[in-house]
């Protein structure tokens, strides 16, 4: 083929062959490979690293200056494959059965391959976008971004001056519901709020009877947290998602989705939907899970104090005080709760680029509908939001309905259909062409 750029699936296979398991990461060789592709194609690049072997790469496809820069970012580190049994070696970049196999194919070297293919193609074809396209290849997303997104945002914010929109991971994959196909585009995410509850009671010698002590309170608190959800909250972004879906799915699913938006009905409908509604539950509530218990030192001493670590994930617009008040409603006021770590995110998404992204996907896959997604976890989007940059999860993949995307991430036999990598590269290329900057006023 007479091409001056590579096919995205071939790029992906090469990226998989660098073992960037984090920890330790060692992203440098993978980043150097990407650097060589870009410089060969005529890009100027900048490598920035907080620690040796933990490089980040930045480059720009120069635009016409008619629009603010648009940021494409993604991470090249991956999670461990230890104790997993794979059908193909996880770092071989095997192509079999129309799929590329290996750690990172979905999360997210597949996305990096799509972005690289799109930007190399634009350069090769001489296409000049309305604004600069900034490409940021990051290290260290999987263990918190200290050497990656946080390092760049804190130490090199000048690299992102004037950028207001970005695309990154967690979005552009299909959700199948009641026989309809939707593409979820992440526009918002939950905020981490880690808490510590302290339970107190009389201590003493374990040879004597004890009722109602700290251990008994622990049992009661754990049961209460297991039995009840925190209160329902309907955010505009979730309303938009559910209304869009409700309008096109057949009965009775249409009414059920609509009823999720009535706070008096929400929990009842979630119970009725069961596993089919599991993805909506964390979008409609702050969520808390008890994860660590500490208490008791000796077999014959009744502890007078037990601490319980609570991992709470708050909806945008809510703060730690709201979460604590909601938890007190369930477990009572006498238990002390304090914040051990919290990371605030933006209160609401900026939706200006959404319609452009939705149109690209709906045209590429006729009959599908794009919906905004609130991610129940957190991503590098929260870090870039500190610079006023709104991230959209947009790594488009037209996966078949029997391909369980979420289950394959971080798991054995992570793989991606070749067709999906090509679909994503084309969609991102479309974005690069259609981005005009007028989205800023939307
Ligand atoms: Zn990822």
């Amino acid at each position: 083929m007479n091409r001056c750029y590579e096919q995205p699936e071939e790029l992906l296979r090469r990226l998989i062959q660098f073992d960037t398991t984090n920890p330790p990461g060692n992203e440098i060789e993978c980043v150097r490979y990407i650097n060589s592709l870009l410089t060969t194609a005529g890009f100027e690049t900048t490598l920035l690293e907080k620690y040796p072997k933990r490089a980040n790469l930045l480059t720009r496809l120069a635009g016409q200056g008619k629009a603010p820069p648009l940021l494409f970012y993604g991470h090249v580190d991956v999670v461990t494959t230890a104790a997993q049994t794979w059908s193909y070696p996880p770092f071989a970049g095997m192509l079999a059965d129309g799929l590329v196999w290996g750690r990172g194919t979905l999360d997210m070297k597949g996305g990096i391959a799509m972005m690289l293919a799109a930007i190399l193609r634009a350069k090769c074809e001489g296409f000049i976008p309305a604004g600069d396209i900034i490409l940021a290849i990051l290290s260290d997303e999987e263990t918190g971004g200290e050497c990656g997104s946080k390092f760049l945002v804190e130490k090199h914010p000048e690299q992102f001056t004037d950028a207001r929109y970005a695309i990154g991971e967690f979005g552009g994959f299909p959700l199948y519901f009641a026989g309809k196909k939707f593409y979820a585009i992440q526009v918002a995410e939950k905020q981490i709020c880690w808490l510590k509850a302290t339970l107190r009671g009389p201590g003493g010698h374990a040879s004597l009877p004890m009722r109602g002590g700290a251990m008994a309170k622990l049992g009661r608190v754990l049961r209460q947290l297991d039995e009840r959800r925190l209160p329902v909250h309907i955010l505009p972004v979730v309303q938009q998602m559910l209304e869009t879906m409700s309008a096109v799915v057949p009965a009775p699913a249409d009414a059920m989705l609509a009823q999720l938006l009535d706070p008096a009905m929400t929990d009842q409908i979630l119970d009725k939907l069961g596993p089919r509604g599991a993805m909506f539950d964390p979008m409609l509530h702050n969520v808390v899970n008890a994860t660590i218990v500490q208490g008791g030192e000796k077999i014959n001493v009744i502890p007078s104090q037990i601490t319980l670590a609570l991992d709470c994930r708050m909806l945008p617009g809510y703060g730690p005080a709201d979460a604590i008040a909601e938890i007190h409603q369930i477990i009572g006021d006498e238990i002390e709760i304090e914040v051990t770590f919290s990371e605030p995110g933006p209160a609401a998404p900026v939706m200006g680029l959404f319609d452009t992204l939705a149109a690209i996907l709906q045209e590429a896959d006729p009959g599908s509908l794009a919906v905004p997604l609130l991610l129940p976890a957190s991503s590098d989007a929260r870090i870039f939001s500190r610079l006023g940059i709104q991230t959209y999860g947009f790594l488009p993949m037209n996966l078949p309905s029997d391909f369980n995307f979420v289950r394959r991430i971080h798991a054995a036999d992570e793989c991606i259909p070749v067709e999906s990598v090509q679909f994503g590269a084309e969609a991102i290329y479309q974005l690069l062409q259609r981005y005009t900057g007028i989205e800023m006023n939307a």
Side-chain angles (χ1 to χ4, degrees):
M1 239 181 296
N2 182 21
R3 289 183 181 275
C4 52
Y5 55 92
E6 280 192 74
Q7 292 294 329
E9 67 275 18
E10 293 304 322
L11 288 172
L12 174 57
R13 294 179 65 193
R14 291 297 310 278
L15 296 176
I16 296 298
Q17 289 162 12
F18 297 95
D19 181 351
T20 50
T21 302
N22 184 14
N26 277 337
E27 295 92 344
I28 184 68
E29 293 307 324
C30 186
V31 170
R32 277 194 190 131
Y33 167 69
I34 294 170
N35 191 47
S36 71
L37 287 176
L38 289 166
T39 52
T40 304
F43 285 92
E44 282 178 29
T45 59
T46 306
L47 266 60
L48 296 166
E49 58 182 26
K50 180 167 183 172
Y51 300 118
K53 299 187 176 178
R54 308 304 305 273
N56 302 279
L57 179 152
L58 286 138
T59 192
R60 277 177 191 243
L61 175 69
Q64 301 170 43
K66 292 179 182 166
L70 175 62
L71 172 62
F72 292 1
Y73 70 84
H75 64 93
V76 290
D77 62 316
V78 296
V79 297
T80 185
T81 54
Q84 296 178 352
T85 308
W86 284 66
S87 305
Y88 299 100
F91 299 104
M94 290 284 292
L95 184 64
D97 311 318
L99 301 149
V100 179
W101 297 79
R103 173 57 83 232
T105 43
L106 294 169
D107 182 15
M108 68 165 280
K109 286 174 174 171
I112 299 278
M114 294 172 196
M115 291 174 179
L116 269 174
I119 213 164
L120 287 167
R121 176 176 167 192
K123 186 83 168 179
C124 161
E125 293 180 349
F127 180 77
I128 302 173
D132 284 4
I133 304 293
I134 306 171
L135 177 67
I137 305 290
L138 308 174
S139 62
D140 197 30
E141 190 270 348
E142 298 290 1
T143 60
E146 195 204 340
C147 312
S149 57
K150 279 184 188 160
F151 164 65
L152 291 181
V153 163
E154 285 164 13
K155 301 294 179 194
H156 299 280
E158 74 288 347
Q159 295 288 340
F160 308 101
T161 303
D162 295 333
R164 287 182 47 199
Y165 293 140
I167 60 166
E169 66 183 331
F170 286 109
F173 53 86
L175 297 173
Y176 293 87
F177 192 86
K180 291 280 176 187
K181 187 176 188 180
F182 301 93
Y183 280 95
I185 299 173
Q186 184 195 325
V187 298
E189 61 184 38
K190 281 194 141 171
Q191 312 165 88
I192 294 172
C193 175
W194 289 335
L195 304 169
K196 185 174 85 175
T198 305
L199 307 131
R200 299 179 205 280
H205 199 287
S207 63
L208 300 173
M210 167 67 73
R211 298 279 178 269
M215 280 290 179
K217 285 181 187 167
L218 174 68
R220 173 175 63 76
V221 164
L222 291 176
R223 200 181 62 247
Q224 287 167 326
L225 290 175
D226 183 53
E227 285 171 354
R228 289 181 58 189
R229 293 183 177 94
L230 299 182
V232 175
H233 302 289
I234 313 281
L235 299 188
V237 58
V238 178
Q239 184 165 353
Q240 186 181 337
M241 177 195 208
L242 292 173
E243 283 177 351
T244 305
M245 295 176 76
S246 168
V248 295
V249 296
D254 58 344
M256 290 179 105
L257 290 178
Q259 284 172 322
L260 282 177
L261 294 170
D262 173 0
M265 296 289 293
T266 306
D267 289 352
Q268 202 181 316
I269 299 295
L270 285 173
D271 291 341
K272 217 184 240 180
L273 281 168
R276 286 185 304 149
M279 71 171 158
F280 303 121
D281 195 331
M283 299 180 196
L284 294 160
H285 304 88
N286 295 320
V287 167
V288 62
N289 274 300
T291 51
I292 304 171
V293 175
Q294 284 174 310
E297 300 281 334
K298 292 190 75 188
I299 186 69
N300 60 351
V301 178
I302 295 169
S304 55
Q305 181 173 316
I306 294 171
T307 61
L308 186 60
L310 300 171
D311 184 340
C312 182
R313 304 300 175 105
M314 298 178 306
L315 293 162
Y318 291 84
D322 303 312
I324 290 173
E326 292 185 356
I327 295 168
H328 275 310
Q329 282 176 30
I330 289 181
I331 66 170
D333 285 334
E334 60 169 319
I335 313 280
E336 285 170 40
I337 303 176
E338 60 192 292
V339 180
T340 53
F341 175 75
S342 103
E343 205 169 40
V350 183
M351 295 292 282
L353 196 60
F354 181 80
D355 288 348
T356 303
L357 301 176
I360 290 170
L361 294 175
Q362 289 164 187
E363 285 168 35
D365 192 348
S368 68
L369 264 184
V371 290
L373 177 76
L374 166 65
L375 183 75
S378 53
S379 72
D380 272 343
R382 74 194 194 285
I383 310 296
F384 283 100
S385 75
R386 295 177 195 166
L387 299 178
I389 297 173
Q390 166 71 45
T391 297
Y392 296 84
F394 192 73
L395 305 179
M397 295 178 236
N398 58 343
L399 302 166
S401 60
D402 59 355
F403 187 99
N404 195 328
F405 168 75
V406 175
R407 284 261 163 80
R408 284 175 189 263
I409 290 180
H410 293 200
D413 281 347
E414 187 179 347
C415 61
I416 188 171
V418 168
E419 193 195 345
S420 294
V421 193
Q422 292 172 345
F423 179 87
E426 178 61 32
I428 291 174
Y429 185 69
Q430 285 293 321
L431 168 62
L432 194 152
Q433 288 200 309
R434 295 191 198 189
Y435 172 70
T436 61
I438 60 162
E439 297 88 352
M440 302 303 151
N441 307 316

